[in-house]
Amino acid sequence: MQNIFRNLPSVNQLLESEPLKKLVDSVNHTVVADGVRNFLDDFRQQVTDKAGEINIPTPQEMADSIADFLKAEEVPYLRKVINGTGIILHTGLGRAPLAKQAIAAVSEISQGYASVEIDLNSGGRGQRAKAVERLLCELTGAEAAVIVNNNAAATMLTLSAMAGGKEVIVSRGQLIEIGGSYRLPDVMECSGSKLREVGTTNKTHPADYENAINENTGALLKVHPSNFEVVGFTKTVSTKEMAAIAHKHGLPLIDDVGSGALIDYSQFGLMDEPIVQDSLNEGADIALFSGDKLIGGPQCGIIVGKSKWIKTILANPLMRAMRVDKMTLAALHATLLLYRDQETVMTQVPILRMLSMPVANLKMRADKVAAQIASSSAVEACEVVQERSMLGGGSLPTQKIPTWCVSISAYGSIDSLTEKLRKCEPAIMGRVQKDRLILDMRTVDVSEDLHLVEAFATIS
Ligand SMILES: *Cc1c(COP(=O)(O)O)cnc(C)c1O
C-alpha cells in the first residue's frame, strides 16, 4: 500500500498533464487544483479501504477522469439547444427565441445604468414602463397598458384588483389548464375572487351569463381555450355579446386572449388565434396575454384596456410583486418596435420568420443536411420526409403547418442516439416517431444547419 501511495503522481504533475492544463486555462487554477487534490484524497481512501481489489490507473487515466469530472461540473444548467422538434413555441425550450434587436437592447440596457424610473426630459421621477406601454397602446388601440411577469400573473393581478372578494362569471367550457401548473380555477382562488361557473362544457348561452349576475358579481371573464377544441354541438358567447351583457349591468369584461396575436395568424394557416385589437374593438374592457407566445418577445404578461381599470390594477399591492425588470422592458420594447412595419416583423421576429419560411426552402435545407449526415457512423439511414410543424406554447395541437424534416434511423437504439445528441454542444433535440428521429427544419435556424452536420460527424 505504501508503494502505491509513493507512486501516485503529484498534484503539480497532474496539473501539467494535457487535459488539466487546458482546464486551468479555460476555468481557473484553484478550481482545477482543488479538483485534483480531492481526487487524490478519494483515491487514497479507496486504496486504504480495499487494498488489493483496486485497479491502479495510470497518471494519464487519472488526469482524464479528473478532467471529465470537472467538465461535467462546469456545464451550466441552461444550455443552448437546437430545436428540431418542429414545435415553434416549445415551453420546455423557453418558448420564443428573441429578435436580434431585442437581444441588443437587453445587452445595452443591462451593461450599465438606465433611465428605469427617471424621466430624462424633466429630470424628475418617471414610470418604469411608460415607453413600452405607449407602444402597446399604439399597436392594440388600448387606452393604457401594464406589463407583469407572465400571463398567469396578469390574470391573478387583474382579478384581484378588479374583482377581489367578488364573483367572476366564467363559462364551464373555458376553465382551462395550461401546461400542468396553470389551472384557471386555482389562479382565481389565489386572486381572492370567487369563480361562478355557468353553462356546460360544450354549450354556454347569453342567458347563462345574464342569470348569474347578482349584487356580488365583480366581472365577466372570457378565456381563450388555447390548447383544446370542443367539436360537435357547441355554443359559445362572442366577445361582443358578453361585453353587451356586462356593460348593461355596469360590469367590466376581462378577456384572457392567451397567446397575444398582434397580427392575423390565419395567413400561416393557423385559424382561431384571437387578435388583441379585435378583443378590445369588440368591447372587452381589459385584455390579457403573454409576451413570449405569438408576439415572439420576452416572458411577460401584458394587460391592456381602459385607463380606469388600468389605474385600479396599478394601485393593487400585487403589482409591485409582479413587476418586470429593465431587461424584460428593453426586450419587449425592441420587439414591439418591429411590429410597426409589416415586412420587418416577418423577417426579424424569429417565430414569424419560422412560420413564414416557404416549404420549398425547408426541403432544400433538409436535402442538404440529410446528404451530409448520412455518412455519420451513428446513422443507419437518412431520408427527407414531409411532415407537420406545430405552434405549441399552449396553442391548438390540431393546427399544423406543412414542413420538411430529416428522418434518421440509428445503428443501435434510437434512445442512445437522442441521448448523444442531447449531450452535444449546442444540444440537439428532435422528436422520436416509430423508432426514427425526426428533425424538423422549420424550427432550426438557418445558421444552425452547420452545427447539426458537425454534431453528427462527431458522434458514433
Ligand atoms: C398560455 C396561457 C396562459 C398562461 O400564460 P403564461 O404567460 O404562461 O403565464 C393563460 N391563459 C391562456 C388562455 C393561455 O393560452
Side-chain angles (χ1 to χ4, degrees):
M1 193 150 69
Q2 286 309 319
N3 249 351
I4 297 174
F5 285 165
R6 212 172 304 130
N7 289 337
L8 282 182
S10 71
V11 173
N12 278 337
Q13 241 177 309
L14 285 168
L15 284 174
E16 284 301 310
S17 68
E18 209 39 52
L20 293 177
K21 224 166 46 192
K22 260 202 229 151
L23 271 183
V24 168
D25 290 340
S26 67
V27 184
N28 121 342
H29 183 275
T30 316
V31 171
V32 181
D34 281 351
V36 171
R37 280 189 205 100
N38 287 340
F39 176 89
L40 289 174
D41 287 349
D42 281 354
F43 186 75
R44 283 193 198 95
Q45 190 62 48
Q46 280 184 44
V47 173
T48 312
D49 290 349
K50 23 181 172 173
E53 296 167 39
I54 204 149
N55 285 326
I56 312 296
T58 65
Q60 181 60 45
E61 285 166 345
M62 284 188 187
D64 285 339
S65 47
I66 298 169
D68 285 348
F69 177 76
L70 289 173
K71 271 193 234 156
E73 275 196 324
E74 257 310 285
V75 174
Y77 178 63
L78 282 177
R79 283 171 59 212
K80 184 176 158 53
V81 176
I82 295 179
N83 177 10
T85 64
I87 300 168
I88 291 167
L89 295 169
H90 195 302
T91 300
L93 299 180
R95 287 197 189 154
L98 291 179
K100 63 177 193 293
Q101 291 84 346
I103 297 160
V106 171
S107 165
E108 187 180 325
I109 288 304
S110 52
Q111 267 167 36
Y113 297 103
S115 62
V116 179
E117 289 186 356
I118 303 282
D119 179 343
L120 292 179
N121 282 327
S122 68
R125 210 176 153 78
Q127 276 173 13
R128 60 169 48 215
K130 205 161 191 176
V132 198
E133 286 163 6
R134 216 178 280 144
L135 193 50
L136 276 166
C137 293
E138 175 194 310
L139 294 169
T140 63
E143 291 174 11
V146 181
I147 301 147
V148 290
N149 245 318
N150 49 31
N151 195 14
T155 308
M156 200 180 289
L157 171 63
T158 301
L159 290 173
S160 170
M162 291 174 64
K166 298 205 145 190
E167 289 180 6
V168 174
I169 308 175
V170 189
S171 158
R172 289 198 169 88
Q174 297 177 354
L175 294 172
I176 55 167
E177 169 176 312
I178 306 243
S181 57
Y182 179 97
R183 307 183 104 192
L184 183 64
D186 299 344
V187 174
M188 291 187 73
E189 193 176 327
C190 275
S191 78
S193 63
K194 294 193 197 78
L195 169 61
R196 176 76 193 257
E197 301 174 34
V198 295
T200 62
T201 309
N202 58 328
K203 286 194 175 195
T204 302
H205 303 277
D208 294 327
Y209 289 102
E210 284 272 8
N211 296 338
I213 293 175
N214 62 60
E215 67 280 6
N216 295 323
T217 308
L220 267 60
L221 174 64
K222 184 174 191 277
V223 184
H224 178 56
S226 301
N227 57 359
F228 71 99
E229 201 174 6
V230 180
V231 293
F233 291 96
T234 64
K235 164 85 180 116
T236 54
V237 184
S238 72
T239 309
K240 248 187 202 145
E241 289 171 288
M242 281 186 74
I245 297 166
H247 297 157
K248 193 168 88 189
H249 295 273
L251 294 167
L253 171 64
I254 302 165
D255 188 6
D256 177 3
V257 181
S259 298
L262 295 178
I263 57 170
D264 186 359
Y265 275 76
S266 65
Q267 62 186 299
F268 309 116
L270 298 162
M271 317 319 274
D272 299 336
E273 280 303 337
I275 302 174
V276 178
Q277 297 88 309
D278 292 347
S279 162
L280 297 177
N281 280 336
E282 286 158 19
D285 296 272
I286 288 290
L288 314 169
F289 48 99
S290 305
D292 55 349
K293 288 186 182 170
L294 292 181
I295 289 178
Q299 179 196 303
C300 61
I302 299 169
I303 307 171
V304 294
K306 296 261 158 57
S307 299
K308 170 187 155 189
W309 293 113
I310 297 289
K311 277 204 194 95
T312 308
I313 290 167
L314 284 169
N316 187 280
L318 278 177
M319 178 64 218
R320 174 59 189 249
M322 292 170 174
R323 76 176 186 189
V324 292
D325 71 329
K326 61 188 176 188
M327 291 189 277
T328 303
L329 289 175
L332 182 62
H333 192 237
T335 307
L336 291 173
L337 278 175
L338 300 169
Y339 277 88
R340 280 183 157 167
D341 184 83
Q342 282 285 324
E343 265 168 53
T344 312
V345 80
M346 287 298 168
T347 57
Q348 300 301 307
V349 171
I351 64 156
L352 294 176
R353 191 164 60 226
M354 288 174 197
L355 281 167
S356 55
M357 185 78 73
V359 276
N361 192 320
L362 296 169
K363 166 126 186 4
M364 213 165 64
R365 285 172 53 210
D367 280 337
K368 203 164 153 195
V369 169
Q372 286 174 288
I373 66 178
S375 55
S376 165
S377 54
V379 173
E380 186 189 35
C382 181
E383 55 185 351
V384 168
V385 293
Q386 196 159 21
E387 272 285 336
R388 277 159 188 277
S389 315
M390 279 201 278
L391 193 52
S395 61
L396 214 52
T398 52
Q399 295 208 15
K400 298 185 174 183
I401 315 144
T403 189
W404 284 91
C405 300
V406 180
S407 164
I408 299 151
S409 60
Y411 282 118
S413 77
I414 202 77
D415 289 346
S416 133
L417 175 66
T418 54
E419 186 186 339
K420 284 176 200 153
L421 290 172
R422 279 200 310 276
K423 288 185 176 158
C424 282
E425 204 54 57
I428 296 167
M429 305 252 320
R431 58 172 192 266
V432 174
Q433 229 163 268
K434 293 188 201 132
D435 255 9
R436 294 184 81 97
L437 174 69
I438 309 281
L439 296 174
D440 188 331
M441 299 312 290
R442 192 179 285 281
T443 47
V444 175
D445 192 78
V446 186
S447 65
E448 295 169 333
D449 290 6
L450 188 63
H451 289 300
L452 278 186
V453 172
E454 283 171 356
F456 274 90
T458 60
I459 59 173
S460 53

